[in-house]
Amino acid sequence: MGVISAMRLNSALLITAVQLAAADKIKVLLVDGQNNHRWMETSPVIKKQLEDTGLFEVDVSTSPAKGADMAAFRPGFKSYRVVVSNYNGDPWSAEAKSDFEQFVRNGGGFVSVHAADNSFPEWPAYNEMIALGGWGNRTEKDGPYAKFRDGKLVLDHKPGKGGHHGRRHAYAVTVRDSKHPITRGLPETWMHHVDELYDSLRGPAKGIHLLATAFSAPDTGGTGEHEPMLFTTRFGKGRVFHTTLGHDVEAMKCAGHIVTLQRGTEWAATGKVTQKVPADFPGAEKASLR
Ligand code: ZN
C-alpha cells in the first residue's frame, strides 16, 4: 500500500471513529416553550449540564407560545431515547399526546423537571408517568398525597389541594434508597442550594419508587412532613425519573441537582448509570455550586 492510500485509509478510519462516538451518544429531546418559570433561561442550562457528561446529545423542541395554535406541535419523540420536560403550559394536541404515550409505553425514557409536574392535570397517562403532580386544581380527585413517615412511603387520601411550597431556602435532601442506580454511591444526606421545596403533591402514585425526600419545615412555611423530592415510575416499558428540584438557574447551580439530573436521565434512557459520583457532590453541611 502506498503512503497516500494509507493516509486515506487512516482518515477514513478517523472519520468513522468520530461518527461512532456521536452515534453512541444518548439522544435526548428537551421539550419547552411554555412555563410559569423562566424556561428560556433554564433550558440552555439543562442542555449544557446533560451534554457536559459526554453521554448525551440534546435537541430542543420548543412549542408555540401560550394561547397559540398547538395543532402543528408534534415533536418527533421516537427519534430519541429519552424526553426531558421543562414544559408547563397549554394542552398538546391529541396526536402529540398519543405520540408521547406510545413513546414511553414502548420503552422511551422520560424526565420531569420541577414545574413539568404542574402540567397537564387533565391528561391521565401523563399523571401516571409523573406519579405526583401539583397545582392545576389538583385535589383528592387526582389521587393521594405521598409522604415519608416512620421509615416508609405512605399514601394519604385525605382531601385537599395538590401542590404547595414554602419560602425558598437551602435544604437537606435525604436518600431513601441507596441501592437504586441513580442514588447508588451518593451521601445519605446532602445539602441542596436555595430552591423551592415542593410539598403536598398528589397523583395516581402508581408504582412510585421513592429515591429521596426533604423535610418541609413549618418555619419555612412547609408541612412538617418528609416530602418526596426524587422518585421514579414505570409506564409500560418506559422508565420515568421525576425531580422536583430546579426552580431557576440559581437552584440549578447545585452540584447535587446537576448530578441527580444527569444520572436520572441516563437511567431513564438505558436503565443503567455509568457516571461516577463527582468529588464536588455536596455533603450534609454545605451546598456545592457549579
Ligand atoms: Zn418553581
Side-chain angles (χ1 to χ4, degrees):
M1 192 185 292
V3 173
I4 299 291
S5 45
M7 278 169 64
R8 281 203 190 112
L9 182 62
N10 277 341
S11 62
L13 285 172
L14 193 65
I15 287 162
T16 308
V18 170
Q19 282 168 342
L20 272 180
D24 279 348
K25 291 201 178 186
I26 297 168
K27 291 195 77 187
V28 180
L29 185 65
L30 175 60
V31 180
D32 64 14
Q34 297 181 33
N35 205 315
N36 61 327
H37 293 65
R38 298 185 175 182
W39 62 269
M40 282 186 229
E41 293 176 10
T42 53
S43 278
V45 172
I46 294 170
K47 177 174 159 69
K48 180 175 188 308
Q49 290 174 345
L50 291 177
E51 290 185 337
D52 279 349
T53 61
L55 287 175
F56 307 106
E57 186 188 317
V58 182
D59 290 339
V60 181
S61 179
T62 300
S63 77
K66 194 161 187 61
D69 183 9
M70 294 292 281
F73 181 61
R74 216 167 157 186
F77 301 115
K78 63 174 188 247
S79 307
Y80 297 87
R81 297 280 293 281
V82 55
V83 170
V84 177
S85 178
N86 191 23
Y87 182 92
N88 173 22
D90 290 342
W92 294 349
S93 69
E95 291 78 13
K97 291 203 285 189
S98 165
D99 290 347
F100 187 60
E101 285 178 34
Q102 255 180 47
F103 166 77
V104 182
R105 206 184 290 283
N106 292 338
F110 177 47
V111 177
S112 174
V113 179
H114 193 61
D117 71 12
N118 299 188
S119 210
F120 305 128
E122 311 294 343
W123 180 5
Y126 184 81
N127 285 277
E128 243 185 74
M129 292 178 203
I130 61 173
L132 300 172
W135 296 272
N137 295 317
R138 283 174 170 89
T139 65
E140 59 274 18
K141 73 182 179 333
D142 300 285
Y145 295 116
K147 311 284 187 182
F148 190 79
R149 293 175 186 154
D150 302 322
K152 60 180 192 297
L153 184 78
V154 174
L155 301 181
D156 185 335
H157 293 264
K158 76 178 172 198
K161 274 190 184 167
H164 173 263
H165 59 78
R167 253 193 340 271
R168 288 173 65 191
H169 63 295
Y171 52 87
V173 174
T174 302
V175 172
R176 301 299 184 179
D177 177 1
S178 57
K179 294 198 173 70
H180 192 278
I182 297 172
T183 43
R184 194 179 295 147
L186 303 186
E188 188 190 348
T189 300
W190 50 275
M191 189 54 72
H192 179 40
H193 184 43
V194 177
D195 199 348
E196 290 171 346
L197 194 167
Y198 273 9
D199 68 63
S200 310
L201 299 178
R202 60 191 316 161
K206 212 172 104 183
I208 182 171
H209 185 97
L210 189 61
L211 298 180
T213 61
F215 182 67
S216 173
D219 66 2
T220 55
T223 55
E225 300 245 29
H226 297 274
E227 300 283 345
M229 295 290 109
L230 309 176
F231 43 98
T232 67
T233 50
R234 300 298 302 256
F235 183 82
K237 292 186 196 140
R239 283 174 294 269
V240 181
F241 172 64
H242 185 154
T243 177
T244 62
L245 311 180
H247 169 75
D248 60 4
V249 169
E250 188 61 27
M252 287 181 176
K253 290 179 184 170
C254 173
H257 168 67
I258 296 167
V259 169
T260 50
L261 178 71
Q262 291 167 335
R263 294 171 69 93
T265 303
E266 185 182 5
W267 177 81
T270 68
K272 289 185 221 137
V273 176
T274 59
Q275 302 167 65
K276 293 201 165 55
V277 178
D280 72 342
F281 198 89
E285 302 304 325
K286 201 165 162 282
S288 167
L289 307 188
R290 289 188 189 169

